[in-house]
Amino acid sequence: MGIVVIGATFVDIKGFPEDIYIPNGRNVGRVEYLHGGVARNVVEDIANAELRPTYLGIVDDTPLGEDVLRKLRNHKVNVDYVMTMPDGMGTWLAVFDHTGDVAGSISKRPNMLPLLDLLNEKGDEIFRQADSVVLEVDLDKELVKRILELAEKYSVKVFGVVSNMSIAVKRRDFLQRFSCFICNLQEAGILFLDDYQDKTPAQMQQILGDKVLQAQIPAMVVTMGEQGAVYADSQGNSGCCPARKVHVKDTTGAGDSFCAGVSIGLTYGKTLPEAIEIGSVLAASVITSSENVCPRFRPAELGLTITVED
């Protein structure tokens, strides 16, 4: 079954100014409607590496929901376990400044608890065949607990990603059961109740190494934008990985692509620094794309020696 990704589907509504963004004024620009959601983005990016991931999520019982499924199928994502129901998707409304960064956003989260019934009915079938699981940590606590139980039952690695850190921080005790947790600098600050915005990668490496040992988190990666990423694990290993030097067009989705790359690498035998390098390749490809999407990669281009059956 390959990598299983579990989380919410969103509709992203993104506004871009034509000129310098004025925070308290009117801005002429363009508005785009896109399929989104951290988990949905991650599973599509994994599929773009010519892998065949499986998605567990919920979509609306509308043409928009069917369009999400159609696109995922076109990317060769297994959507057999996606549920369809009224108001099944969330909405993310974001305004970007002239540099491509998010100036402000609001999100409406969908109800994901119906997935619990699916997991109770077909969880053994899904996890028995899974190579690994990528999970949104901020899902309902009952869902996260059930997923971790199934993963431990079948010795499946779980990689944690985050959509809303203010919710995910309430699941901090679960992080000890994740193989690796991936987040950005601001999210790490929320998790550890501190502000790291002025830290250098070397300083953040030391901080993360201490925090991972104190919290007994098996491994953690923190992205630092153009400064790259730092990592640490419970064995005392840590390091800094520089970002690729590219021309940024739109940073949206770069974090999700990075998470996809790290998850791919760790699933198929790469070390943590090697997996971060794969994540950096995918993230760089997204922020330089005119369509803000991850292009297709062959596994060999990412240093993977695996064969995927159609």
Side-chain angles (χ1 to χ4, degrees):
M1 186 170 287
I3 303 175
V4 177
V5 182
I6 307 174
T9 303
F10 275 69
V11 175
D12 291 351
I13 305 173
K14 307 195 305 186
F16 300 89
E18 289 184 358
D19 206 337
I20 294 177
Y21 177 69
I22 304 173
N24 298 318
R26 293 179 178 270
N27 293 270
V28 176
R30 72 183 193 279
V31 176
E32 299 178 356
Y33 292 78
L34 303 167
H35 300 163
V38 170
R40 196 219 64 86
N41 292 345
V42 168
V43 79
E44 184 177 294
D45 290 338
I46 292 172
N48 282 338
E50 292 194 353
L51 304 177
R52 302 290 179 265
T54 295
Y55 184 39
L56 270 69
I58 304 174
V59 299
D60 289 350
D61 59 345
T62 63
L64 184 58
E66 180 54 40
D67 192 42
V68 171
L69 293 177
R70 185 183 305 109
K71 183 179 180 183
L72 291 175
R73 290 191 189 102
N74 288 341
H75 283 266
K76 297 188 177 180
V77 174
N78 177 5
V79 294
D80 291 348
Y81 301 101
V82 175
M83 304 178 72
T84 301
M85 58 182 53
D87 202 27
M89 299 190 298
T91 305
W92 185 59
L93 172 65
V95 175
F96 292 77
D97 63 22
H98 50 281
T99 68
D101 287 332
V102 177
S105 67
I106 297 175
S107 63
K108 185 202 79 169
R109 297 176 58 81
N111 175 22
M112 300 299 292
L113 275 176
L115 282 182
L116 191 57
D117 292 334
L118 173 67
L119 288 167
N120 288 333
E121 178 184 354
K122 298 184 177 180
D124 289 288
E125 171 188 319
I126 295 167
F127 280 74
R128 188 184 296 116
Q129 306 174 68
D131 292 333
S132 68
V133 170
V134 180
L135 170 64
E136 285 185 15
V137 184
D138 42 300
L139 292 177
D140 301 88
K141 184 172 288 189
E142 301 93 326
L143 267 176
V144 177
K145 183 177 179 180
R146 180 60 178 144
I147 291 164
L148 290 173
E149 288 173 349
L150 286 164
E152 289 162 359
K153 179 178 180 179
Y154 292 101
S155 300
V156 175
K157 292 181 179 180
V158 180
F159 308 121
V161 297
V162 61
S163 174
N164 188 321
M165 196 65 198
S166 63
I167 297 175
V169 72
K170 300 174 184 177
R171 319 278 190 265
R172 64 171 72 243
D173 291 345
F174 285 137
L175 296 184
Q176 297 175 0
R177 298 164 67 181
F178 282 75
S179 300
C180 185
F181 177 56
I182 307 160
C183 67
N184 63 33
L185 194 64
Q186 182 181 33
E187 292 161 346
I190 296 173
L191 177 64
F192 296 126
L193 304 177
D194 208 337
D195 184 358
Y196 303 130
Q197 296 300 316
D198 62 342
K199 302 301 182 184
T200 66
Q203 291 172 327
M204 196 61 208
Q205 176 188 341
Q206 180 63 51
I207 292 169
L208 187 63
D210 293 340
K211 293 294 184 181
V212 161
L213 290 175
Q214 292 169 10
Q216 297 182 310
I217 300 171
M220 188 167 168
V221 178
V222 176
T223 59
M224 300 182 67
E226 62 183 15
Q227 296 187 85
V230 298
Y231 67 90
D233 65 27
S234 58
Q235 305 303 309
N237 302 306
S238 65
C240 305
C241 300
R244 295 194 162 218
K245 301 299 182 182
V246 296
H247 176 66
V248 177
K249 292 186 177 180
D250 182 352
T251 59
T252 314
D256 300 338
S257 298
F258 179 86
C259 292
V262 172
S263 300
I264 289 170
L266 293 179
T267 297
Y268 297 112
K270 296 297 184 180
T271 64
L272 194 47
E274 290 171 339
I276 291 172
E277 176 60 23
I278 295 175
S280 298
V281 170
L282 266 59
S285 72
V286 168
I287 63 178
T288 58
S289 168
S290 59
E291 298 179 353
N292 192 227
V293 295
C294 181
R296 293 187 180 277
F297 288 91
R298 294 183 182 279
E301 293 178 288
L302 300 175
L304 304 172
T305 55
I306 59 174
T307 302
V308 181
E309 298 180 0
D310 286 323

PDB file of all heavy atoms in Angstrom, residues 182-187 221-225 228-230 255 258:
ATOM      1  N   ILE A 182       7.611  16.881  12.163  1.00  0.00           N
ATOM      2  CA  ILE A 182       8.128  17.919  11.271  1.00  0.00           C
ATOM      3  C   ILE A 182       7.276  19.180  11.431  1.00  0.00           C
ATOM      4  O   ILE A 182       6.046  19.114  11.331  1.00  0.00           O
ATOM      5  CB  ILE A 182       8.091  17.443   9.807  1.00  0.00           C
ATOM      6  CG1 ILE A 182       8.795  16.095   9.668  1.00  0.00           C
ATOM      7  CG2 ILE A 182       8.720  18.481   8.877  1.00  0.00           C
ATOM      8  CD1 ILE A 182       8.414  15.336   8.412  1.00  0.00           C
ATOM      9  N   CYS A 183       7.919  20.322  11.669  1.00  0.00           N
ATOM     10  CA  CYS A 183       7.171  21.575  11.793  1.00  0.00           C
ATOM     11  C   CYS A 183       8.086  22.737  11.412  1.00  0.00           C
ATOM     12  O   CYS A 183       9.269  22.542  11.128  1.00  0.00           O
ATOM     13  CB  CYS A 183       6.621  21.756  13.206  1.00  0.00           C
ATOM     14  SG  CYS A 183       7.880  22.015  14.479  1.00  0.00           S
ATOM     15  N   ASN A 184       7.536  23.954  11.415  1.00  0.00           N
ATOM     16  CA  ASN A 184       8.363  25.122  11.121  1.00  0.00           C
ATOM     17  C   ASN A 184       8.790  25.813  12.412  1.00  0.00           C
ATOM     18  O   ASN A 184       8.415  25.401  13.521  1.00  0.00           O
ATOM     19  CB  ASN A 184       7.656  26.084  10.161  1.00  0.00           C
ATOM     20  CG  ASN A 184       6.378  26.677  10.734  1.00  0.00           C
ATOM     21  OD1 ASN A 184       6.256  26.916  11.940  1.00  0.00           O
ATOM     22  ND2 ASN A 184       5.390  26.925   9.882  1.00  0.00           N
ATOM     23  N   LEU A 185       9.559  26.884  12.279  1.00  0.00           N
ATOM     24  CA  LEU A 185      10.153  27.564  13.427  1.00  0.00           C
ATOM     25  C   LEU A 185       9.097  28.150  14.361  1.00  0.00           C
ATOM     26  O   LEU A 185       9.195  28.025  15.584  1.00  0.00           O
ATOM     27  CB  LEU A 185      11.093  28.666  12.930  1.00  0.00           C
ATOM     28  CG  LEU A 185      12.058  29.270  13.955  1.00  0.00           C
ATOM     29  CD1 LEU A 185      13.034  28.218  14.454  1.00  0.00           C
ATOM     30  CD2 LEU A 185      12.817  30.440  13.340  1.00  0.00           C
ATOM     31  N   GLN A 186       8.084  28.783  13.780  1.00  0.00           N
ATOM     32  CA  GLN A 186       7.029  29.369  14.601  1.00  0.00           C
ATOM     33  C   GLN A 186       6.268  28.288  15.361  1.00  0.00           C
ATOM     34  O   GLN A 186       5.943  28.450  16.544  1.00  0.00           O
ATOM     35  CB  GLN A 186       6.066  30.175  13.719  1.00  0.00           C
ATOM     36  CG  GLN A 186       4.958  30.865  14.503  1.00  0.00           C
ATOM     37  CD  GLN A 186       3.998  31.631  13.599  1.00  0.00           C
ATOM     38  OE1 GLN A 186       3.749  31.229  12.470  1.00  0.00           O
ATOM     39  NE2 GLN A 186       3.483  32.736  14.088  1.00  0.00           N
ATOM     40  N   GLU A 187       5.985  27.184  14.693  1.00  0.00           N
ATOM     41  CA  GLU A 187       5.270  26.076  15.332  1.00  0.00           C
ATOM     42  C   GLU A 187       6.092  25.450  16.452  1.00  0.00           C
ATOM     43  O   GLU A 187       5.551  25.068  17.498  1.00  0.00           O
ATOM     44  CB  GLU A 187       4.896  25.040  14.277  1.00  0.00           C
ATOM     45  CG  GLU A 187       3.840  25.550  13.307  1.00  0.00           C
ATOM     46  CD  GLU A 187       3.758  24.761  12.011  1.00  0.00           C
ATOM     47  OE1 GLU A 187       4.689  23.970  11.714  1.00  0.00           O
ATOM     48  OE2 GLU A 187       2.774  24.933  11.272  1.00  0.00           O
ATOM     49  N   VAL A 221      12.264  17.573  13.073  1.00  0.00           N
ATOM     50  CA  VAL A 221      12.849  18.450  12.067  1.00  0.00           C
ATOM     51  C   VAL A 221      12.109  19.787  12.135  1.00  0.00           C
ATOM     52  O   VAL A 221      10.875  19.817  12.170  1.00  0.00           O
ATOM     53  CB  VAL A 221      12.723  17.866  10.652  1.00  0.00           C
ATOM     54  CG1 VAL A 221      13.315  18.834   9.617  1.00  0.00           C
ATOM     55  CG2 VAL A 221      13.407  16.513  10.562  1.00  0.00           C
ATOM     56  N   VAL A 222      12.863  20.877  12.152  1.00  0.00           N
ATOM     57  CA  VAL A 222      12.265  22.213  12.174  1.00  0.00           C
ATOM     58  C   VAL A 222      12.780  22.994  10.965  1.00  0.00           C
ATOM     59  O   VAL A 222      13.988  23.165  10.793  1.00  0.00           O
ATOM     60  CB  VAL A 222      12.627  22.972  13.467  1.00  0.00           C
ATOM     61  CG1 VAL A 222      12.068  24.393  13.421  1.00  0.00           C
ATOM     62  CG2 VAL A 222      12.087  22.232  14.687  1.00  0.00           C
ATOM     63  N   THR A 223      11.855  23.459  10.131  1.00  0.00           N
ATOM     64  CA  THR A 223      12.247  24.255   8.969  1.00  0.00           C
ATOM     65  C   THR A 223      12.404  25.718   9.378  1.00  0.00           C
ATOM     66  O   THR A 223      11.666  26.227  10.218  1.00  0.00           O
ATOM     67  CB  THR A 223      11.212  24.143   7.838  1.00  0.00           C
ATOM     68  OG1 THR A 223       9.929  24.606   8.312  1.00  0.00           O
ATOM     69  CG2 THR A 223      11.058  22.699   7.378  1.00  0.00           C
ATOM     70  N   MET A 224      13.375  26.384   8.729  1.00  0.00           N
ATOM     71  CA  MET A 224      13.690  27.775   9.061  1.00  0.00           C
ATOM     72  C   MET A 224      13.691  28.659   7.812  1.00  0.00           C
ATOM     73  O   MET A 224      14.488  29.588   7.692  1.00  0.00           O
ATOM     74  CB  MET A 224      15.036  27.844   9.777  1.00  0.00           C
ATOM     75  CG  MET A 224      15.093  27.055  11.076  1.00  0.00           C
ATOM     76  SD  MET A 224      16.688  27.198  11.952  1.00  0.00           S
ATOM     77  CE  MET A 224      16.670  28.937  12.419  1.00  0.00           C
ATOM     78  N   GLY A 225      12.795  28.367   6.863  1.00  0.00           N
ATOM     79  CA  GLY A 225      12.686  29.181   5.668  1.00  0.00           C
ATOM     80  C   GLY A 225      13.967  29.168   4.855  1.00  0.00           C
ATOM     81  O   GLY A 225      14.555  28.115   4.600  1.00  0.00           O
ATOM     82  N   GLY A 228      17.111  27.169   5.845  1.00  0.00           N
ATOM     83  CA  GLY A 228      17.181  25.717   5.771  1.00  0.00           C
ATOM     84  C   GLY A 228      16.389  25.026   6.865  1.00  0.00           C
ATOM     85  O   GLY A 228      15.289  25.443   7.219  1.00  0.00           O
ATOM     86  N   ALA A 229      16.950  23.970   7.422  1.00  0.00           N
ATOM     87  CA  ALA A 229      16.257  23.191   8.450  1.00  0.00           C
ATOM     88  C   ALA A 229      17.274  22.636   9.432  1.00  0.00           C
ATOM     89  O   ALA A 229      18.452  22.447   9.116  1.00  0.00           O
ATOM     90  CB  ALA A 229      15.465  22.050   7.811  1.00  0.00           C
ATOM     91  N   VAL A 230      16.802  22.386  10.649  1.00  0.00           N
ATOM     92  CA  VAL A 230      17.625  21.729  11.661  1.00  0.00           C
ATOM     93  C   VAL A 230      16.912  20.467  12.114  1.00  0.00           C
ATOM     94  O   VAL A 230      15.682  20.353  12.001  1.00  0.00           O
ATOM     95  CB  VAL A 230      17.905  22.647  12.868  1.00  0.00           C
ATOM     96  CG1 VAL A 230      18.679  23.874  12.423  1.00  0.00           C
ATOM     97  CG2 VAL A 230      16.605  23.061  13.565  1.00  0.00           C
ATOM     98  N   GLY A 255       6.161  23.929   2.708  1.00  0.00           N
ATOM     99  CA  GLY A 255       6.293  23.122   3.919  1.00  0.00           C
ATOM    100  C   GLY A 255       5.698  21.744   3.747  1.00  0.00           C
ATOM    101  O   GLY A 255       6.253  20.746   4.232  1.00  0.00           O
ATOM    102  N   PHE A 258       8.034  19.737   1.621  1.00  0.00           N
ATOM    103  CA  PHE A 258       9.177  19.344   2.437  1.00  0.00           C
ATOM    104  C   PHE A 258       8.820  18.135   3.296  1.00  0.00           C
ATOM    105  O   PHE A 258       9.597  17.165   3.375  1.00  0.00           O
ATOM    106  CB  PHE A 258       9.611  20.520   3.313  1.00  0.00           C
ATOM    107  CG  PHE A 258      10.777  20.215   4.209  1.00  0.00           C
ATOM    108  CD1 PHE A 258      12.077  20.350   3.748  1.00  0.00           C
ATOM    109  CD2 PHE A 258      10.577  19.800   5.521  1.00  0.00           C
ATOM    110  CE1 PHE A 258      13.160  20.058   4.572  1.00  0.00           C
ATOM    111  CE2 PHE A 258      11.642  19.510   6.351  1.00  0.00           C
ATOM    112  CZ  PHE A 258      12.944  19.644   5.875  1.00  0.00           C
TER     113      PHE A 258
END
